[in-house]
Amino acid sequence: MLKLRFSEHNSECGTDEAGRGCLAGPVTAAAIILPEDFKLDLLNDSKQLSEKVREKLKPIIEEKSISFAVTHLGSKIIDEINILNASIKAMQESIVKLNPTPLYIIVDGNIFKPIDNIPYSTIIKGDSKYMSIAAASVLAKTYRDEYMNKIHEEFPMYNWKQNKGYPTKEHREAIRKYGTTKYHRMSFRLLPEQLKLDLE
């Protein structure tokens, strides 16, 4: 059973990201503050839920939340500051957009950087322990999937509608055949045999 709060603050936000391991598309983060009476039976870590269930939960989460925000950071920023920093930045930007400003932040994972001096805790597998992190994970995943479906129309040969930019065999074959796009992360190993170039 997921817990509602980690701290004693009512204005506690949970945050999580989606798309860290992808070869293309943004890393997407969400942050959310849930009310004291929040209940949602099907809610869990988004990776444990089917796409259908995630899509069903998304509007309910949004409607019941006190405040939520979503941020996409594209491949250019990911290549500039690396995927870990981009993930943290996307979460920070989502938190800054929340109104009211949270008094405490709980983050899925084990690394975060403080934002606006708000106290925080990192929680390993937080998305399967706390409702706000699970809700943030559902929003991050559904908004990112939506984004990938949109850019799929632009470059259908990579089948992002299906693989969402993850390194599937099909996606890698398409990169081999058609090359890269502006949505690909050039700092990633796009093909298994690709040599890392020393650009220092």
Side-chain angles (χ1 to χ4, degrees), residues 127-174:
D127 48 7
S128 57
K129 293 173 185 169
Y130 291 92
M131 287 186 196
S132 60
I133 300 180
S137 83
V138 169
L139 294 184
K141 178 78 176 123
T142 50
Y143 274 88
R144 188 181 185 281
D145 284 358
E146 221 169 79
Y147 187 104
M148 295 309 292
N149 292 345
K150 205 166 83 185
I151 64 173
H152 167 85
E153 304 302 321
E154 214 179 321
F155 295 100
M157 61 281 248
Y158 299 94
N159 200 12
W160 290 330
K161 204 173 176 178
Q162 189 69 44
N163 62 51
K164 305 297 189 258
Y166 280 91
T168 60
K169 192 176 173 200
E170 172 196 46
H171 189 185
R172 286 199 150 126
E173 283 306 319

Side-chain angles (χ1 to χ4, degrees), residues 53-90:
V53 171
R54 286 195 300 266
E55 288 299 335
K56 186 180 163 187
L57 291 179
K58 180 186 167 202
I60 304 169
I61 290 168
E62 292 179 350
E63 191 191 321
K64 288 187 170 189
S65 75
I66 289 170
S67 179
F68 75 90
V70 178
T71 303
H72 298 294
L73 289 184
S75 52
K76 193 167 180 288
I77 293 177
I78 292 167
D79 288 339
E80 272 170 26
I81 65 174
N82 83 39
I83 186 61
L84 179 61
N85 286 325
S87 302
I88 293 168
K89 186 175 165 62

Side-chain angles (χ1 to χ4, degrees), residues 11-27:
S11 185
E12 174 182 280
C13 89
T15 185
D16 198 5
E17 49 67 33
R20 239 170 98 165
C22 297
L23 304 180
V27 63

Side-chain angles (χ1 to χ4, degrees), residues 9 92 95-96 101-105 112-121:
H9 296 290
Q92 289 175 326
I95 291 162
V96 169
T101 301
L103 297 173
Y104 202 89
I105 302 164
F112 192 64
K113 290 173 187 167
I115 181 89
D116 293 346
N117 293 319
I118 305 167
Y120 71 89
S121 292

